[in-house]
Amino acid sequence: MGADGGRFPDVLAPSGRTLGAEERRAVLRVLDSAVLCSTFGTEARALEAEMAALYGRRAAVASSSGTAALHLAVAAVRLDPGDEVITTPISDFGTVAPILAQNGVPVFADVDPATGNLDPAAVEAAVTPRTRAIIAVHLFGAPADLAGLRAVADRHGLILIEDCAQAWLGTTPGGDLLGTVGEIACFSLQQYKHITAGDGGLCCTDDDELARRMRLFMDKGWDRTIGRLHLSLGLNYRMTELVAAVARAQLAKAAGVVARRAESAGLLLSSLRDLTGIGLPDPAGHAWWLFPFTVPDDPGNRAWAEALAAEGVPAVAGYLERPLYANPALADEPVYGSSRFPLEGRSYPAGLCPNAERLIDRTLVILHWNEGYTADHVEAIAGAVRRVHARLA
Ligand SMILES: *Cc1c(COP(=O)(O)O)cnc(C)c1O
């Protein structure tokens, strides 16, 4: 983003973010209090209460990033070394790093060729006696098949973690908030997400024991009600008061951000409906982090992204350069020291998840999306897509 000469609001500019007077007041309130660490302040605990209330869950735990939130969730599962967690090959690396960090093995299941979201049948086929959990990602803001994934998890006694980093306030087709079906849901406040405090993470759960484990892992295993006693392995993943105060102001704006993104995405959907060979996203429950669509294999998504960029429209082919499992960190590099543990004897060959590979290599195009887009922005994008379609499709 930012490569568009400033034509479209984007997340690295004030016009593409909702940071204003509320956030400024929040930062000053914390600075004036002189308490910047959340252990001694009120902002992070208030943010947790507000997040739990927004999602209708018993508890929320704040942390320093979306990756940290996922690490709290995986730590709370209490994997034995070598246990497996099934997840998707199309996501941010923050979805899988915590599995490795807890000495677990990421197992990749293939995705739906239209949405890029996990296919519950592929997840079920990947279950082994070592499987302990599933991490589902609501990719680009589109609801993953939670009914299907919940059923697989329940049949095999697995914990379902929802990675909602891209799906603030998205819903299932039935209207339930994404992040209320899994035992734990994780959110990110990184710069590029719907709402931001620079970096930050939140976990939600209805399970008091999972909440207790996450809170301990977030703060060095230290239960401060007892004394200087470390009950279990934990790190310092605390959110600061400055971040929490900004996040509280942003949380109050999340619904408006999602509504504005959905409104402009709806406009683009209706202007592209008649284009043959283009697969458009289903708007039901979509949180519109990005606007994804699919194009025919030939000439493929890279030609499309180049042609759109030439039209001045920010577009990315495939979202990723390669599936998560084809990154050196998983494919062939040591994990700890010179050791491949816990991946010894494991390989992630090309062709492991053919639908994901085809989306990344051939068919998936994403448009950056933003709450600052007006009808004029959408019209410019629609015109560019139609011109590129006339040339390439
Ligand atoms: C952004 C993101 C993460 C990681 O969040 P950070 O706050 O950047 O650590 C994890 N999963 C998904 C799906 C994301 O989009």
Side-chain angles (χ1 to χ4, degrees), residues 44 47-48 51 60-63 65-66 69-70 168 185-189 200-204 239 247 251:
L47 171 67
E48 291 169 345
M51 181 70 180
V61 179
S63 59
S65 71
L70 283 148
W168 280 95
C186 301
F187 296 79
S188 166
L189 293 158
L202 284 157
C203 296
C204 289
M239 180 182 280
L251 194 63

Side-chain angles (χ1 to χ4, degrees), residues 65-67 70 91-92 94-95 137 163 165-166 188 190 193 199-200:
S65 71
T67 305
L70 283 148
S91 185
D92 183 86
T95 306
V137 174
D163 180 345
Q166 306 184 356
S188 166
Q190 184 261 352
K193 313 301 175 168
D199 273 307

Side-chain angles (χ1 to χ4, degrees), residues 68-79:
L70 283 148
H71 199 177
L72 302 190
V74 174
V77 174
R78 291 196 171 157
L79 301 178

Side-chain angles (χ1 to χ4, degrees), residues 16-237:
R17 301 282 63 189
T18 53
L19 300 164
E22 299 78 8
E23 288 75 10
R24 192 172 298 121
R25 272 202 302 278
V27 167
L28 293 176
R29 178 173 78 233
V30 173
L31 279 179
D32 290 343
S33 79
V35 178
L36 277 55
C37 173
S38 56
T39 305
F40 314 101
T42 55
E43 301 285 347
R45 301 295 85 81
L47 171 67
E48 291 169 345
E50 288 157 9
M51 181 70 180
L54 179 64
Y55 274 84
R57 305 208 72 172
R58 281 176 64 85
V61 179
S63 59
S64 52
S65 71
T67 305
L70 283 148
H71 199 177
L72 302 190
V74 174
V77 174
R78 291 196 171 157
L79 301 178
D80 280 328
D83 278 351
E84 297 169 0
V85 177
I86 301 173
T87 191
T88 170
I90 308 184
S91 185
D92 183 86
F93 198 73
T95 306
V96 292
I99 303 170
L100 278 182
Q102 290 308 105
N103 296 319
V105 176
V107 171
F108 295 93
D110 209 355
V111 299
D112 180 298
T115 64
N117 270 324
L118 270 177
D119 171 6
V123 170
E124 184 144 42
V127 173
T128 77
R130 300 296 312 259
T131 310
R132 300 287 307 282
I134 300 167
I135 304 180
V137 174
H138 302 295
L139 191 64
F140 311 137
D145 180 355
L146 283 175
L149 293 168
R150 182 73 267 172
V152 173
D154 290 346
R155 268 197 294 281
H156 300 278
L158 310 176
I159 287 188
L160 177 60
I161 297 169
E162 289 179 70
D163 180 345
C164 299
Q166 306 184 356
W168 280 95
L169 296 177
T171 68
T172 65
D176 294 323
L177 278 175
L178 302 181
T180 58
V181 174
E183 278 84 352
I184 302 172
C186 301
F187 296 79
S188 166
L189 293 158
Q190 184 261 352
Q191 179 80 39
Y192 277 63
K193 313 301 175 168
H194 291 79
I195 57 172
T196 188
D199 273 307
L202 284 157
C203 296
C204 289
T205 185
D206 287 331
D207 184 309
D208 292 339
E209 175 58 16
L210 291 176
R212 190 185 73 87
R213 293 178 193 171
M214 292 196 288
R215 199 168 285 291
L216 283 171
F217 197 77
M218 176 265 283
D219 192 17
K220 303 180 237 182
W222 188 349
D223 182 340
R224 290 172 190 260
T225 63
I226 301 177
R228 195 141 194 162
L229 191 67
H230 300 275
L231 298 178
S232 50
L233 174 66
L235 300 169
N236 176 353
Y237 278 150

